[in-house]
Amino acid sequence: MFNAADLPDDIATLKAMLLASAAQVAHLSAELSTRTAEIEHLKLVLAKLRRMQFGKRSEKLDQQIEQLELKLEDLEAEQAVAEAKAPAEVAPRKKAERKPLPPHLPREERIVHPDQDACPSCGGGLKHLGEDVSEQLEYVPASFRVIRHVRPKLACSCCDCIVQAPAASRPIERGLAGPGLLAHVLVAKFADHMPLYRQSAIYAREGVELERSLLANWVGASSNLLSPLVEALRRHVFAATKLHADDTPLPVLAPGNGKTKTARLWTYVRDDRPSGSDEAPAVWFAYTPDRKGEHPQAHLKGFAGVLQADAYAGFNAIYEGGQVREAACWAHVRRKFFDLHAARPSALSTEALRRIGALYAIEEDIRGKPPDERRAVRREYAVPLLVDLERWLRAMLETLSRKSDTAAAIQYALKLWPALTRYTEDGRIEIDNSAAERALRGIALGRRNYLFAGADSGGERAAAIYGLIGTAKLNAVDPEAYLRYVLTHIADHPVSRVDDFLPWNCADKLGTV
């Protein structure tokens, strides 16, 4: 929409603006139409597959249905984002008629009275004129309830003025779901790894019919609402001087052929609590369709400090300029020797594990201490052990075939030696990259439930919500209570102060929703 005060007087410029606006409207309309057609096609395919299920069942058929359900979730959520961003000129898609909220659910009335005790126009007394009532479906732990927002209308007894409290804002404009229900759906999907079609079946058992498409719409609209907060989280993470980084595979449905491709979820963790810092820990995730090195290089553009990660070659270009220093992970080294020991124990693998264990024992005693103290202890006790360990590894390497798995484990450690010993030079650096691996643990567990994402857009949405949920957990904040609070207030909050909703800034307010 154009603001009349800002319109130019020049007719040619006005025509150009109108043509540009018309082109944008046409593009968005076409995009929405295409997405709607694809959604309708998937619904037809799903209906056909479900009919086939009543005959001979097969695991392959069940997997096809599950794939299409997930694809449909992400398409419908993406459509909600597109509609939220579309200008008013773009006609919204026709939505199914809304069913009345089940009468058996308990009702809780919240009467919102006007602030005025007298007529704001003439000061006269106010009398009851009527009221507006709207209902919102809310979720409280273990039960549904319907919140009735009652806004009495008061009329002035001396003039025609009518006074009424403004309607309460909702996370999704004119949406049925309350912030508690939205938070529950998000946490169930992204923390408890429960796909939306399974959630829909669970809610139906409670007598509340919430179609998967409706839940998907809520997920898309909520993620769009939370996007400024996710960006604030990213800024906080990359303002650190030391980061942990890692990635994990994420199967994603490839367009058209029904097969999956392997995308990646990257995690970047800011957590200096082990070195005595009181800075809030946080984690930010990023989704990419592949594992090319250009992706972490883009994520870390502008970052300066220490990056603790594995030996992935895609990080090498980041270290070349000297702005970022590499710190490697002793847990990866230990894991290689542990795997050898588990397969076929030997004196060499036993000794390697003993020596690495001695380094970890030193870390146990200095966890949470200030950086200077940690550095002093490491230089006194860890450095001599490391010098002796390097000498021993090189001696053992001379006795082995260079093609053996044991030689490969030793060469891995020696190749990374400067980065592996960097933690002794800086008390802020950890001995390993466990902070990033812990951040990815929930995703690895979740893959067993949801198997794959339905589309690239679904992977990006997952990365955004994973970051908010993971950061809440790092700060000992209940993710559902946190998202409930944020979704209750963020729509009316100035975007310039979105940092107010970072978990550590609002943890003491979560009981005041």
Side-chain angles (χ1 to χ4, degrees), residues 57-99:
R57 293 178 61 88
S58 72
E59 290 183 4
K60 185 176 181 181
L61 183 59
D62 289 343
Q63 187 178 23
Q64 278 185 280
I65 291 175
E66 190 165 18
Q67 287 180 349
L68 289 172
E69 292 276 13
L70 289 166
K71 175 71 173 177
L72 198 52
E73 283 181 19
D74 284 325
L75 275 173
E76 288 169 332
E78 190 65 15
Q79 183 152 359
V81 174
E83 289 176 354
K85 294 180 178 179
E89 295 85 23
V90 179
R93 62 188 172 98
K94 184 179 179 181
K95 298 184 179 181
E97 184 179 349
R98 180 180 294 173
K99 297 179 181 179

Side-chain angles (χ1 to χ4, degrees), residues 361-496:
I362 295 170
E363 296 305 303
E364 287 291 330
D365 294 334
I366 59 174
R367 185 170 290 114
K369 303 291 185 181
D372 290 345
E373 183 177 340
R374 282 157 58 96
R375 179 176 178 273
V377 171
R378 287 167 174 171
R379 291 189 68 82
E380 182 176 356
Y381 297 103
V383 168
L385 294 181
L386 287 164
V387 170
D388 192 46
L389 175 56
E390 181 186 16
R391 187 184 304 116
W392 178 78
L393 288 173
R394 293 190 182 280
M396 292 298 102
L397 186 60
E398 294 300 319
T399 68
L400 300 168
S401 166
R402 294 303 171 102
K403 295 182 180 181
S404 70
D405 291 334
T406 305
I410 293 176
Q411 287 171 329
Y412 175 86
L414 293 176
K415 181 181 178 182
L416 292 173
W417 201 257
L420 283 169
T421 57
R422 185 148 289 132
Y423 82 102
T424 63
E425 304 167 6
D426 188 336
R428 299 170 303 160
I429 304 175
E430 294 303 301
I431 191 174
D432 59 31
N433 196 32
S434 294
E437 293 190 357
R438 285 193 297 270
L440 291 173
R441 191 170 297 154
I443 298 171
L445 292 173
R447 278 198 300 262
R448 299 176 186 175
N449 284 353
Y450 59 73
L451 303 179
F452 41 74
D456 286 336
S457 56
E460 291 165 0
R461 248 187 316 277
I465 306 302
Y466 279 143
L468 294 176
I469 290 174
T471 300
K473 290 180 177 179
L474 282 176
N475 288 272
V477 171
D478 173 53
E480 189 166 332
Y482 168 61
L483 288 176
R484 185 187 307 122
Y485 175 83
V486 172
L487 290 167
T488 299
H489 299 286
I490 195 169
D492 297 326
H493 201 76
V495 70
S496 60

Side-chain angles (χ1 to χ4, degrees), residues 283-322:
V283 55
W284 180 77
F285 288 89
Y287 168 86
T288 60
D290 51 53
R291 205 191 183 207
K292 294 179 181 177
E294 63 192 42
H295 300 305
Q297 292 162 25
H299 301 154
L300 291 158
K301 186 178 181 180
F303 170 72
V306 175
L307 179 67
Q308 192 140 26
D310 60 17
Y312 170 53
F315 289 127
N316 292 343
I318 297 170
Y319 306 131
E320 289 175 357

